[in-house]
Amino acid sequence: MKPPRSQSDAAWENLVRQARLDAPPAIDRAALSRAIRAETSERATSLGWIATFVAAFAFRRAVASCLLASAALAALSLWQARDCAGDLAWAQLFLGTTGGLR
Amino acid sequence: MELLVERHHAAIGRLLWRFARSRADLDDLVQDTFLRMVRGLPNWRAQQPFAHWLLRIATNVGRDYFRRQSVRRRWQAEPARENEEQPAPDAIDPAADPAARAAANEVKTMLAQLAPDDRALLTLHHLEGWGLAQIAAQFGWTLTATKLRAWRARRQLRKLLHLSEPS
């Protein structure tokens, strides 16, 4: 920063020097503590929920569950398709390429 | 958490008082700073001094406060001096040094006429006595950009000072 160059600059520097002496008023500590406690407990609740979710659907378990569910759905679909394979064009195509379900 | 507040609230309050226009605003800013601290604690890395990290949050809270004021002023389409730029009555604390408080209010009123980032820069430089390198580090600006911004802000301020000078 450059030194003051005019009268107004000098007055400004004096004003700033005096302004630096201004002390802040007291902070409302009670309100601050209340707000922090509320935020902390809210975060603890939300983090607890996240932790429960993560524990229930851990990555490996989730992958295994998805694979099992997919396999079950595929088996169910094929079992249904087997009964009405003659009426389904896609089933005819599938049977044609794989050689049949039986 | 209480211990962190106990240890740092005085420094944070002192810094944010340079930004705030009233005691109520100061309470809001300090609260906002500590709430951001609570939310950001999982991201704090121990290599970084905690006080510096918290100070950075506080300066960003102050800068956001200036930006909000600027946006509000633009939306209200009122001249700066007619609304919030006059110190609020509760900004005058009878316990404080009245001359220093009056001087601080005058400085804040002058700085309030600048763009929010320029205002934040000169607030920290003039009222807190921070160097430009420190300000650049706090706001994540380069030193060159900060010097240029400071030069422009000072030029703008000088114009305002000349305008406000009695002829």
Side-chain angles (χ1 to χ4, degrees), chain B residues 15-16 19-20 29 32-33 36 56-69 116 119-120 139:
Chain B
L15 172 70
L16 287 172
F19 291 80
L29 295 180
D32 194 10
T33 301
R36 286 193 197 185
R56 176 177 278 202
I57 296 176
T59 48
N60 282 320
V61 165
R63 189 163 59 144
D64 290 349
Y65 168 73
F66 283 167
R67 284 177 178 168
R68 278 198 305 276
Q69 281 191 334
R119 186 179 171 190
F139 288 139

PDB file of all heavy atoms in Angstrom, chain B residues 15-16 19-20 29 32-33 36 56-69 116 119-120 139:
ATOM      1  N   LEU B  15     -12.647 -10.541  14.599  1.00  0.00           N
ATOM      2  CA  LEU B  15     -12.483 -10.445  13.140  1.00  0.00           C
ATOM      3  C   LEU B  15     -13.804 -10.054  12.477  1.00  0.00           C
ATOM      4  O   LEU B  15     -13.836  -9.152  11.630  1.00  0.00           O
ATOM      5  CB  LEU B  15     -11.988 -11.788  12.581  1.00  0.00           C
ATOM      6  CG  LEU B  15     -11.947 -11.884  11.063  1.00  0.00           C
ATOM      7  CD1 LEU B  15     -10.840 -10.995  10.499  1.00  0.00           C
ATOM      8  CD2 LEU B  15     -11.726 -13.307  10.605  1.00  0.00           C
ATOM      9  N   LEU B  16     -14.879 -10.723  12.870  1.00  0.00           N
ATOM     10  CA  LEU B  16     -16.156 -10.481  12.188  1.00  0.00           C
ATOM     11  C   LEU B  16     -16.778  -9.140  12.556  1.00  0.00           C
ATOM     12  O   LEU B  16     -17.622  -8.633  11.831  1.00  0.00           O
ATOM     13  CB  LEU B  16     -17.127 -11.638  12.479  1.00  0.00           C
ATOM     14  CG  LEU B  16     -16.753 -12.924  11.743  1.00  0.00           C
ATOM     15  CD1 LEU B  16     -17.613 -14.084  12.211  1.00  0.00           C
ATOM     16  CD2 LEU B  16     -16.881 -12.767  10.229  1.00  0.00           C
ATOM     17  N   PHE B  19     -16.478  -6.693   9.936  1.00  0.00           N
ATOM     18  CA  PHE B  19     -17.423  -6.804   8.820  1.00  0.00           C
ATOM     19  C   PHE B  19     -18.823  -6.335   9.226  1.00  0.00           C
ATOM     20  O   PHE B  19     -19.524  -5.734   8.428  1.00  0.00           O
ATOM     21  CB  PHE B  19     -17.541  -8.267   8.369  1.00  0.00           C
ATOM     22  CG  PHE B  19     -16.307  -8.819   7.693  1.00  0.00           C
ATOM     23  CD1 PHE B  19     -15.216  -9.258   8.417  1.00  0.00           C
ATOM     24  CD2 PHE B  19     -16.249  -8.909   6.309  1.00  0.00           C
ATOM     25  CE1 PHE B  19     -14.100  -9.774   7.797  1.00  0.00           C
ATOM     26  CE2 PHE B  19     -15.141  -9.425   5.669  1.00  0.00           C
ATOM     27  CZ  PHE B  19     -14.056  -9.860   6.415  1.00  0.00           C
ATOM     28  N   ALA B  20     -19.223  -6.660  10.447  1.00  0.00           N
ATOM     29  CA  ALA B  20     -20.621  -6.478  10.857  1.00  0.00           C
ATOM     30  C   ALA B  20     -20.980  -5.017  11.037  1.00  0.00           C
ATOM     31  O   ALA B  20     -20.155  -4.197  11.420  1.00  0.00           O
ATOM     32  CB  ALA B  20     -20.860  -7.229  12.153  1.00  0.00           C
ATOM     33  N   LEU B  29     -23.202 -13.656  12.299  1.00  0.00           N
ATOM     34  CA  LEU B  29     -21.995 -14.053  11.561  1.00  0.00           C
ATOM     35  C   LEU B  29     -21.161 -15.059  12.361  1.00  0.00           C
ATOM     36  O   LEU B  29     -20.648 -16.038  11.795  1.00  0.00           O
ATOM     37  CB  LEU B  29     -21.145 -12.819  11.218  1.00  0.00           C
ATOM     38  CG  LEU B  29     -21.766 -11.807  10.246  1.00  0.00           C
ATOM     39  CD1 LEU B  29     -20.813 -10.649   9.993  1.00  0.00           C
ATOM     40  CD2 LEU B  29     -22.139 -12.450   8.933  1.00  0.00           C
ATOM     41  N   ASP B  32     -22.951 -18.339  12.265  1.00  0.00           N
ATOM     42  CA  ASP B  32     -22.795 -18.945  10.938  1.00  0.00           C
ATOM     43  C   ASP B  32     -21.414 -19.583  10.802  1.00  0.00           C
ATOM     44  O   ASP B  32     -21.267 -20.701  10.284  1.00  0.00           O
ATOM     45  CB  ASP B  32     -22.996 -17.849   9.878  1.00  0.00           C
ATOM     46  CG  ASP B  32     -23.193 -18.422   8.486  1.00  0.00           C
ATOM     47  OD1 ASP B  32     -23.358 -19.648   8.369  1.00  0.00           O
ATOM     48  OD2 ASP B  32     -23.181 -17.645   7.508  1.00  0.00           O
ATOM     49  N   THR B  33     -20.395 -18.887  11.301  1.00  0.00           N
ATOM     50  CA  THR B  33     -19.025 -19.406  11.223  1.00  0.00           C
ATOM     51  C   THR B  33     -18.898 -20.731  11.975  1.00  0.00           C
ATOM     52  O   THR B  33     -18.370 -21.716  11.441  1.00  0.00           O
ATOM     53  CB  THR B  33     -18.025 -18.390  11.823  1.00  0.00           C
ATOM     54  OG1 THR B  33     -18.134 -17.170  11.095  1.00  0.00           O
ATOM     55  CG2 THR B  33     -16.603 -18.892  11.771  1.00  0.00           C
ATOM     56  N   ARG B  36     -20.785 -23.545  10.259  1.00  0.00           N
ATOM     57  CA  ARG B  36     -20.017 -24.049   9.104  1.00  0.00           C
ATOM     58  C   ARG B  36     -18.848 -24.902   9.585  1.00  0.00           C
ATOM     59  O   ARG B  36     -18.461 -25.875   8.945  1.00  0.00           O
ATOM     60  CB  ARG B  36     -19.492 -22.887   8.259  1.00  0.00           C
ATOM     61  CG  ARG B  36     -20.559 -22.212   7.433  1.00  0.00           C
ATOM     62  CD  ARG B  36     -19.928 -21.295   6.398  1.00  0.00           C
ATOM     63  NE  ARG B  36     -20.886 -20.354   5.862  1.00  0.00           N
ATOM     64  CZ  ARG B  36     -20.631 -19.509   4.875  1.00  0.00           C
ATOM     65  NH1 ARG B  36     -19.430 -19.492   4.321  1.00  0.00           N
ATOM     66  NH2 ARG B  36     -21.530 -18.680   4.424  1.00  0.00           N
ATOM     67  N   ARG B  56     -10.352 -18.886   8.025  1.00  0.00           N
ATOM     68  CA  ARG B  56     -10.733 -18.862   6.611  1.00  0.00           C
ATOM     69  C   ARG B  56     -12.255 -18.957   6.476  1.00  0.00           C
ATOM     70  O   ARG B  56     -12.859 -18.250   5.677  1.00  0.00           O
ATOM     71  CB  ARG B  56     -10.059 -20.021   5.861  1.00  0.00           C
ATOM     72  CG  ARG B  56     -10.485 -20.095   4.421  1.00  0.00           C
ATOM     73  CD  ARG B  56      -9.759 -21.181   3.689  1.00  0.00           C
ATOM     74  NE  ARG B  56      -8.446 -20.712   3.264  1.00  0.00           N
ATOM     75  CZ  ARG B  56      -7.757 -21.258   2.280  1.00  0.00           C
ATOM     76  NH1 ARG B  56      -8.229 -22.309   1.661  1.00  0.00           N
ATOM     77  NH2 ARG B  56      -6.600 -20.779   1.915  1.00  0.00           N
ATOM     78  N   ILE B  57     -12.855 -19.797   7.296  1.00  0.00           N
ATOM     79  CA  ILE B  57     -14.323 -19.896   7.283  1.00  0.00           C
ATOM     80  C   ILE B  57     -14.922 -18.536   7.643  1.00  0.00           C
ATOM     81  O   ILE B  57     -15.843 -18.052   6.991  1.00  0.00           O
ATOM     82  CB  ILE B  57     -14.824 -20.978   8.274  1.00  0.00           C
ATOM     83  CG1 ILE B  57     -14.343 -22.361   7.841  1.00  0.00           C
ATOM     84  CG2 ILE B  57     -16.347 -20.963   8.388  1.00  0.00           C
ATOM     85  CD1 ILE B  57     -14.717 -23.484   8.805  1.00  0.00           C
ATOM     86  N   ALA B  58     -14.361 -17.918   8.679  1.00  0.00           N
ATOM     87  CA  ALA B  58     -14.899 -16.627   9.150  1.00  0.00           C
ATOM     88  C   ALA B  58     -14.778 -15.550   8.070  1.00  0.00           C
ATOM     89  O   ALA B  58     -15.726 -14.783   7.851  1.00  0.00           O
ATOM     90  CB  ALA B  58     -14.173 -16.196  10.418  1.00  0.00           C
ATOM     91  N   THR B  59     -13.636 -15.498   7.383  1.00  0.00           N
ATOM     92  CA  THR B  59     -13.476 -14.462   6.346  1.00  0.00           C
ATOM     93  C   THR B  59     -14.453 -14.715   5.198  1.00  0.00           C
ATOM     94  O   THR B  59     -14.987 -13.769   4.623  1.00  0.00           O
ATOM     95  CB  THR B  59     -12.036 -14.406   5.805  1.00  0.00           C
ATOM     96  OG1 THR B  59     -11.611 -15.723   5.489  1.00  0.00           O
ATOM     97  CG2 THR B  59     -11.087 -13.783   6.773  1.00  0.00           C
ATOM     98  N   ASN B  60     -14.699 -15.983   4.898  1.00  0.00           N
ATOM     99  CA  ASN B  60     -15.667 -16.279   3.839  1.00  0.00           C
ATOM    100  C   ASN B  60     -17.087 -15.934   4.273  1.00  0.00           C
ATOM    101  O   ASN B  60     -17.883 -15.470   3.458  1.00  0.00           O
ATOM    102  CB  ASN B  60     -15.573 -17.752   3.416  1.00  0.00           C
ATOM    103  CG  ASN B  60     -14.376 -17.980   2.512  1.00  0.00           C
ATOM    104  OD1 ASN B  60     -14.075 -17.161   1.642  1.00  0.00           O
ATOM    105  ND2 ASN B  60     -13.671 -19.073   2.722  1.00  0.00           N
ATOM    106  N   VAL B  61     -17.370 -16.141   5.549  1.00  0.00           N
ATOM    107  CA  VAL B  61     -18.687 -15.739   6.078  1.00  0.00           C
ATOM    108  C   VAL B  61     -18.836 -14.215   5.953  1.00  0.00           C
ATOM    109  O   VAL B  61     -19.881 -13.717   5.531  1.00  0.00           O
ATOM    110  CB  VAL B  61     -18.848 -16.192   7.546  1.00  0.00           C
ATOM    111  CG1 VAL B  61     -20.012 -15.491   8.237  1.00  0.00           C
ATOM    112  CG2 VAL B  61     -19.057 -17.696   7.616  1.00  0.00           C
ATOM    113  N   GLY B  62     -17.786 -13.492   6.282  1.00  0.00           N
ATOM    114  CA  GLY B  62     -17.802 -12.031   6.173  1.00  0.00           C
ATOM    115  C   GLY B  62     -17.995 -11.587   4.728  1.00  0.00           C
ATOM    116  O   GLY B  62     -18.780 -10.675   4.446  1.00  0.00           O
ATOM    117  N   ARG B  63     -17.311 -12.254   3.836  1.00  0.00           N
ATOM    118  CA  ARG B  63     -17.414 -11.896   2.417  1.00  0.00           C
ATOM    119  C   ARG B  63     -18.832 -12.184   1.895  1.00  0.00           C
ATOM    120  O   ARG B  63     -19.396 -11.378   1.166  1.00  0.00           O
ATOM    121  CB  ARG B  63     -16.377 -12.685   1.618  1.00  0.00           C
ATOM    122  CG  ARG B  63     -16.261 -12.212   0.190  1.00  0.00           C
ATOM    123  CD  ARG B  63     -14.999 -12.675  -0.456  1.00  0.00           C
ATOM    124  NE  ARG B  63     -14.886 -14.117  -0.480  1.00  0.00           N
ATOM    125  CZ  ARG B  63     -14.335 -14.792  -1.493  1.00  0.00           C
ATOM    126  NH1 ARG B  63     -13.855 -14.137  -2.517  1.00  0.00           N
ATOM    127  NH2 ARG B  63     -14.230 -16.088  -1.460  1.00  0.00           N
ATOM    128  N   ASP B  64     -19.381 -13.304   2.309  1.00  0.00           N
ATOM    129  CA  ASP B  64     -20.762 -13.640   1.899  1.00  0.00           C
ATOM    130  C   ASP B  64     -21.749 -12.601   2.433  1.00  0.00           C
ATOM    131  O   ASP B  64     -22.720 -12.259   1.759  1.00  0.00           O
ATOM    132  CB  ASP B  64     -21.158 -15.029   2.421  1.00  0.00           C
ATOM    133  CG  ASP B  64     -20.415 -16.135   1.700  1.00  0.00           C
ATOM    134  OD1 ASP B  64     -19.770 -15.844   0.676  1.00  0.00           O
ATOM    135  OD2 ASP B  64     -20.464 -17.288   2.170  1.00  0.00           O
ATOM    136  N   TYR B  65     -21.488 -12.122   3.627  1.00  0.00           N
ATOM    137  CA  TYR B  65     -22.338 -11.087   4.239  1.00  0.00           C
ATOM    138  C   TYR B  65     -22.303  -9.810   3.389  1.00  0.00           C
ATOM    139  O   TYR B  65     -23.339  -9.210   3.107  1.00  0.00           O
ATOM    140  CB  TYR B  65     -21.831 -10.846   5.649  1.00  0.00           C
ATOM    141  CG  TYR B  65     -22.354  -9.649   6.393  1.00  0.00           C
ATOM    142  CD1 TYR B  65     -23.649  -9.616   6.890  1.00  0.00           C
ATOM    143  CD2 TYR B  65     -21.523  -8.557   6.638  1.00  0.00           C
ATOM    144  CE1 TYR B  65     -24.109  -8.525   7.600  1.00  0.00           C
ATOM    145  CE2 TYR B  65     -21.968  -7.466   7.350  1.00  0.00           C
ATOM    146  CZ  TYR B  65     -23.260  -7.443   7.835  1.00  0.00           C
ATOM    147  OH  TYR B  65     -23.710  -6.359   8.542  1.00  0.00           O
ATOM    148  N   PHE B  66     -21.122  -9.436   2.942  1.00  0.00           N
ATOM    149  CA  PHE B  66     -20.998  -8.253   2.073  1.00  0.00           C
ATOM    150  C   PHE B  66     -21.730  -8.483   0.752  1.00  0.00           C
ATOM    151  O   PHE B  66     -22.383  -7.587   0.225  1.00  0.00           O
ATOM    152  CB  PHE B  66     -19.528  -7.958   1.784  1.00  0.00           C
ATOM    153  CG  PHE B  66     -18.799  -7.284   2.921  1.00  0.00           C
ATOM    154  CD1 PHE B  66     -17.414  -7.195   2.911  1.00  0.00           C
ATOM    155  CD2 PHE B  66     -19.491  -6.726   3.987  1.00  0.00           C
ATOM    156  CE1 PHE B  66     -16.731  -6.574   3.943  1.00  0.00           C
ATOM    157  CE2 PHE B  66     -18.814  -6.094   5.029  1.00  0.00           C
ATOM    158  CZ  PHE B  66     -17.430  -6.023   5.006  1.00  0.00           C
ATOM    159  N   ARG B  67     -21.618  -9.688   0.234  1.00  0.00           N
ATOM    160  CA  ARG B  67     -22.283  -9.993  -1.044  1.00  0.00           C
ATOM    161  C   ARG B  67     -23.799  -9.922  -0.894  1.00  0.00           C
ATOM    162  O   ARG B  67     -24.481  -9.383  -1.752  1.00  0.00           O
ATOM    163  CB  ARG B  67     -21.877 -11.390  -1.531  1.00  0.00           C
ATOM    164  CG  ARG B  67     -20.481 -11.395  -2.116  1.00  0.00           C
ATOM    165  CD  ARG B  67     -20.070 -12.780  -2.528  1.00  0.00           C
ATOM    166  NE  ARG B  67     -18.746 -12.750  -3.133  1.00  0.00           N
ATOM    167  CZ  ARG B  67     -18.022 -13.818  -3.387  1.00  0.00           C
ATOM    168  NH1 ARG B  67     -18.480 -15.013  -3.093  1.00  0.00           N
ATOM    169  NH2 ARG B  67     -16.825 -13.709  -3.947  1.00  0.00           N
ATOM    170  N   ARG B  68     -24.292 -10.478   0.217  1.00  0.00           N
ATOM    171  CA  ARG B  68     -25.739 -10.433   0.446  1.00  0.00           C
ATOM    172  C   ARG B  68     -26.219  -8.993   0.548  1.00  0.00           C
ATOM    173  O   ARG B  68     -27.237  -8.623  -0.013  1.00  0.00           O
ATOM    174  CB  ARG B  68     -26.093 -11.173   1.748  1.00  0.00           C
ATOM    175  CG  ARG B  68     -26.185 -12.672   1.602  1.00  0.00           C
ATOM    176  CD  ARG B  68     -26.952 -13.269   2.771  1.00  0.00           C
ATOM    177  NE  ARG B  68     -26.410 -12.906   4.055  1.00  0.00           N
ATOM    178  CZ  ARG B  68     -25.401 -13.539   4.652  1.00  0.00           C
ATOM    179  NH1 ARG B  68     -24.830 -14.573   4.061  1.00  0.00           N
ATOM    180  NH2 ARG B  68     -24.965 -13.153   5.829  1.00  0.00           N
ATOM    181  N   GLN B  69     -25.457  -8.175   1.250  1.00  0.00           N
ATOM    182  CA  GLN B  69     -25.824  -6.762   1.397  1.00  0.00           C
ATOM    183  C   GLN B  69     -25.861  -6.075   0.038  1.00  0.00           C
ATOM    184  O   GLN B  69     -26.752  -5.296  -0.256  1.00  0.00           O
ATOM    185  CB  GLN B  69     -24.811  -6.050   2.288  1.00  0.00           C
ATOM    186  CG  GLN B  69     -25.033  -6.296   3.753  1.00  0.00           C
ATOM    187  CD  GLN B  69     -24.191  -5.367   4.613  1.00  0.00           C
ATOM    188  OE1 GLN B  69     -23.141  -4.898   4.177  1.00  0.00           O
ATOM    189  NE2 GLN B  69     -24.634  -5.116   5.812  1.00  0.00           N
ATOM    190  N   PRO B 116     -18.337  -5.942  -3.209  1.00  0.00           N
ATOM    191  CA  PRO B 116     -18.185  -6.796  -2.012  1.00  0.00           C
ATOM    192  C   PRO B 116     -16.776  -7.362  -1.801  1.00  0.00           C
ATOM    193  O   PRO B 116     -16.263  -7.316  -0.677  1.00  0.00           O
ATOM    194  CB  PRO B 116     -19.181  -7.922  -2.252  1.00  0.00           C
ATOM    195  CG  PRO B 116     -20.157  -7.393  -3.219  1.00  0.00           C
ATOM    196  CD  PRO B 116     -19.475  -6.361  -4.034  1.00  0.00           C
ATOM    197  N   ARG B 119     -14.440  -4.631  -0.876  1.00  0.00           N
ATOM    198  CA  ARG B 119     -14.780  -4.203   0.492  1.00  0.00           C
ATOM    199  C   ARG B 119     -14.165  -5.168   1.510  1.00  0.00           C
ATOM    200  O   ARG B 119     -13.588  -4.735   2.511  1.00  0.00           O
ATOM    201  CB  ARG B 119     -16.313  -4.189   0.607  1.00  0.00           C
ATOM    202  CG  ARG B 119     -16.856  -3.646   1.884  1.00  0.00           C
ATOM    203  CD  ARG B 119     -18.371  -3.691   1.827  1.00  0.00           C
ATOM    204  NE  ARG B 119     -18.976  -3.368   3.100  1.00  0.00           N
ATOM    205  CZ  ARG B 119     -20.264  -3.524   3.371  1.00  0.00           C
ATOM    206  NH1 ARG B 119     -21.080  -3.982   2.445  1.00  0.00           N
ATOM    207  NH2 ARG B 119     -20.748  -3.213   4.556  1.00  0.00           N
ATOM    208  N   ALA B 120     -14.284  -6.460   1.208  1.00  0.00           N
ATOM    209  CA  ALA B 120     -13.705  -7.463   2.125  1.00  0.00           C
ATOM    210  C   ALA B 120     -12.190  -7.312   2.193  1.00  0.00           C
ATOM    211  O   ALA B 120     -11.592  -7.362   3.273  1.00  0.00           O
ATOM    212  CB  ALA B 120     -14.081  -8.863   1.661  1.00  0.00           C
ATOM    213  N   PHE B 139      -8.495 -15.939   0.750  1.00  0.00           N
ATOM    214  CA  PHE B 139      -9.570 -15.980  -0.243  1.00  0.00           C
ATOM    215  C   PHE B 139      -9.242 -16.891  -1.431  1.00  0.00           C
ATOM    216  O   PHE B 139     -10.056 -17.025  -2.346  1.00  0.00           O
ATOM    217  CB  PHE B 139      -9.894 -14.564  -0.744  1.00  0.00           C
ATOM    218  CG  PHE B 139     -10.611 -13.717   0.275  1.00  0.00           C
ATOM    219  CD1 PHE B 139     -10.299 -12.381   0.458  1.00  0.00           C
ATOM    220  CD2 PHE B 139     -11.631 -14.253   1.054  1.00  0.00           C
ATOM    221  CE1 PHE B 139     -10.960 -11.598   1.391  1.00  0.00           C
ATOM    222  CE2 PHE B 139     -12.302 -13.487   1.985  1.00  0.00           C
ATOM    223  CZ  PHE B 139     -11.968 -12.160   2.160  1.00  0.00           C
TER     224      PHE B 139
END
